[in-house]
Amino acid sequence: MFDPRAIIIPLITLLISTGLLFLARGIVIRFLHKWAKKTESKIDDIVIASIKTPSVYWILAIGLYISIGTSELPEKYTFYLTKTLHVLIILSVTMVAANLTGKVFRHYVESTEIPLPTTGLAHGLIKGIVLAVGFLIILGSLGISITPLITALGVGGLAVALALQDTLSNLFAGIHILVEKPLRIGDFIKLETEQEGYVEDIGWRTTKVRMLPNNMVIIPNSRLSQSILTNYCLPEKRMSLLIPIGVSYSSDPEKVERILVEEAKKGAGDIPGLLAEPGPFVRFIPGFGDSSLDFTLICQVREFVDQYLAQHELRKRIFKRFNEEGIEIPFPHRTVYLREEKDWKK
């Protein structure tokens, strides 16, 4: 005969346990919010935001676990239900821990000056380690020995490595790039194939480079690690800008040098990206050209892309100043001699 208490008692237990747990959750979260407001770090805010929603499901799972223990279900069904709840709780905690670890790692690196990468590959490795640990804990809770699993993975590892040779080579090349740091997120690089742009992300298989026309170049990590590249942000972003300038042979080299330095110093206060320190200077190099005296104006720009606007503005200013000072900018001359051939066959 059906006994109503078989349902009423577990249901009351579920309601009471979840109610008490929700009350405790509200008190704890309120206390954590007050504590987080008193600190300057954002890590506690990230932790609270990460566990706020999952904690609701944990409370329901714990309530179900308690109510199942007070029910009169057969031991066989109770065992499988509790094991299922164990696995679900561990899986949920593992997912939250993996996401939380990745966010905390990214925030910590970005808020400090520690030269660690915050790329998709580094983020994925950290999450992968946490998920692997959670997976092993789940196997242990189910009573499954991981020793045969490790043995099986060792035996099948060779076949997997051969099948995923290209993928693994890109993965290890990406790890090599992160460790050696020949390039970093945000660096401006130029490849030996003449492609250049900003590094957007270093993933587990490819590296994304955003070119100046706002197009994305996707480069396999293995290809990138073997490529000869120029990093315009190492050892620092500041770089020299060399502007060749030619004047006529009738010009005074001292006067030309003075004008070029003056215009560069004036431009340093007006042209974005053009630096006043270190100061600009001029060298009489390459020297004596075919049609002109050739000088080189050398100044400093903040980073690689600033050179375009700096050259544009400086050339206009120099041209205008040369016209005011009567300094001629020559152009090549060619003399053509025409030889008249007589017809000797007349």
Side-chain angles (χ1 to χ4, degrees):
M1 186 175 181
F2 175 73
D3 187 0
R5 290 180 299 177
I7 296 178
I8 295 175
I9 293 177
L11 183 59
I12 294 175
T13 305
L14 174 64
L15 294 176
I16 293 174
S17 59
T18 53
L20 292 174
L21 289 172
F22 272 115
L23 179 62
R25 172 184 174 274
I27 295 173
V28 171
I29 290 180
R30 188 177 303 174
F31 171 77
L32 291 176
H33 275 298
K34 291 182 179 180
W35 174 68
K37 290 180 181 179
K38 298 178 182 179
T39 62
E40 297 181 357
S41 176
K42 296 294 182 182
I43 295 180
D44 44 15
D45 297 319
I46 296 174
V47 173
I48 295 171
S50 298
I51 66 174
K52 193 171 184 180
T53 300
S55 61
V56 175
Y57 302 105
W58 298 340
I59 289 174
L60 294 175
I62 294 172
L64 287 172
Y65 179 79
I66 296 173
S67 64
I68 290 173
T70 60
S71 67
E72 298 181 358
L73 290 173
E75 184 178 352
K76 177 182 178 181
Y77 298 109
T78 303
F79 174 79
Y80 287 119
L81 288 174
T82 53
K83 283 294 182 181
T84 302
L85 289 175
H86 279 160
V87 172
L88 292 177
I89 292 175
I90 295 172
L91 180 61
S92 175
V93 172
T94 302
M95 296 296 294
V96 172
N99 293 326
L100 179 60
T101 305
K103 292 179 181 178
V104 171
F105 169 77
R106 184 182 295 273
H107 171 76
Y108 180 73
V109 173
E110 291 176 352
S111 60
T112 59
E113 297 181 355
I114 299 177
L116 292 175
T118 58
T119 63
L121 177 56
H123 189 268
L125 287 174
I126 292 174
K127 291 180 65 176
I129 293 172
V130 176
L131 291 174
V133 172
F135 178 70
L136 294 177
I137 294 175
I138 290 175
L139 293 179
S141 68
L142 294 176
I144 300 175
S145 176
I146 63 173
T147 303
L149 178 61
I150 295 176
T151 304
L153 290 176
V155 173
L158 179 61
V160 173
L162 291 175
L164 301 177
Q165 184 177 2
D166 181 63
T167 301
L168 291 176
S169 65
N170 286 313
L171 174 62
F172 288 112
I175 296 174
H176 167 74
I177 292 172
L178 292 180
V179 173
E180 190 176 350
K181 294 189 286 293
L183 52 91
R184 303 158 301 183
I185 301 299
D187 285 358
F188 192 94
I189 64 172
K190 183 176 182 179
L191 305 176
E192 60 182 342
T193 55
E194 299 299 323
Q195 296 167 321
E196 59 185 16
Y198 288 99
V199 179
E200 289 289 313
D201 185 37
I202 303 173
W204 64 274
R205 189 176 186 277
T206 60
T207 296
K208 298 179 178 63
V209 177
R210 179 170 56 86
M211 301 177 66
L212 292 180
N214 207 29
N215 300 324
M216 195 74 74
V217 178
I218 312 299
I219 309 169
N221 290 334
S222 59
R223 184 79 60 86
L224 183 63
S225 64
Q226 299 174 4
S227 175
I228 299 175
L229 60 88
T230 303
N231 191 331
Y232 290 99
C233 294
L234 290 177
E236 58 180 336
K237 289 187 177 182
R238 177 177 63 84
M239 61 173 288
S240 298
L241 171 62
L242 281 67
I243 303 179
I245 297 164
V247 297
S248 67
Y249 270 88
S250 61
S251 304
D252 180 8
E254 299 290 340
K255 182 179 180 180
V256 173
E257 180 179 358
R258 176 175 54 81
I259 291 174
L260 293 176
V261 172
E262 288 177 357
E263 291 302 318
K265 288 182 176 180
K266 292 178 183 178
D270 302 330
I271 302 173
L274 183 62
L275 302 178
E277 294 293 336
F281 57 94
V282 176
R283 292 293 180 263
F284 192 9
I285 298 173
F288 303 101
D290 294 336
S291 306
S292 61
L293 298 175
D294 296 328
F295 295 82
T296 301
L297 172 62
I298 304 171
C299 46
Q300 303 290 318
V301 291
R302 185 174 52 225
E303 60 178 302
F304 180 84
V305 294
D306 291 328
Q307 64 174 310
Y308 301 113
L309 178 60
Q311 287 193 63
H312 170 72
E313 292 295 333
L314 281 177
R315 292 182 190 276
K316 291 194 302 181
R317 291 169 182 247
I318 291 170
F319 181 74
K320 182 179 179 181
R321 180 72 181 275
F322 278 179
N323 287 335
E324 294 174 355
E325 299 288 343
I327 297 176
E328 180 185 355
I329 300 177
F331 52 87
H333 292 77
R334 296 289 184 270
T335 302
V336 180
Y337 295 93
L338 298 178
R339 185 177 65 181
E340 182 180 356
E341 295 184 358
K342 297 181 179 180
D343 188 359
W344 299 95
K345 298 181 179 181
K346 289 183 178 180

